[in-house]
Amino acid sequence: MGKRAKKAPVQTGRKQTLAKRFKCPFCANEDVVECKMDLSKGVGSLACRVCSASYQMPIHHLHEPIDVFSEWLDDCEAAERGEVAAASSSSSKNRREDEVHDTGRDHYSGDEEEEEDDLPAASGLKRRG
């Protein structure tokens, strides 16, 4: 009679961790942009410690800090090209964003001229959620 064969130990690979600190696209310093994910409010925010650049976007349970950072970079590139930030990225077309509509005020009533023509165009670099 022989001995029982032993099972080979299970090799568990290390789980790769994704970065939570990034290089700032404005001041070009390494590891100064920190990401905070607030899943209860559904907001992911980035802030640079050096130049105070910031960005916010709506998130859900599948988002990671790298997703928020890459969306910020996409919006920065869209702003450089002069495009509207929300229309430029394909992921924002699939993303549900809550919009607040003021139904108590009629925006297009009669012969009134629009006074909003004097406002500068939005840069798309800072979003509040």
Side-chain angles (χ1 to χ4, degrees):
M1 292 212 152
K3 293 184 181 180
R4 284 189 177 209
K6 291 185 180 181
K7 283 187 177 179
V10 177
Q11 297 273 335
T12 57
R14 285 188 139 182
K15 184 179 178 183
Q16 284 187 328
T17 57
L18 298 174
K20 293 184 181 181
R21 290 185 172 182
F22 308 99
K23 180 179 178 180
C24 181
F26 297 105
C27 65
N29 288 315
E30 291 286 337
D31 295 333
V32 294
V33 176
E34 292 182 354
C35 183
K36 293 183 182 174
M37 309 286 281
D38 190 357
L39 292 175
S40 63
K41 293 181 181 177
V43 176
S45 60
L46 294 165
C48 177
R49 292 183 286 149
V50 176
C51 68
S52 301
S54 63
Y55 179 77
Q56 288 184 345
M57 71 172 267
I59 60 169
H60 53 76
H61 66 282
L62 296 176
H63 275 101
E64 294 289 333
I66 189 70
D67 299 325
V68 179
F69 182 70
S70 62
E71 189 71 27
W72 184 28
L73 292 179
D74 291 343
D75 286 349
C76 289
E77 290 173 2
E80 281 183 6
R81 291 190 305 264
E83 296 176 3
V84 178
S88 66
S89 66
S90 61
S91 64
S92 64
K93 292 178 186 176
N94 298 330
R95 179 178 14 159
R96 185 182 143 253
E97 295 184 15
D98 296 329
E99 296 180 0
V100 178
H101 296 283
D102 185 11
T103 57
R105 192 173 123 204
D106 189 13
H107 292 285
Y108 300 102
S109 62
D111 299 325
E112 297 177 16
E113 293 182 10
E114 291 184 10
E115 297 177 4
E116 298 175 351
D117 293 339
D118 297 334
L119 297 175
S123 66
L125 297 179
K126 187 172 183 183
R127 202 186 273 180
R128 294 184 181 168

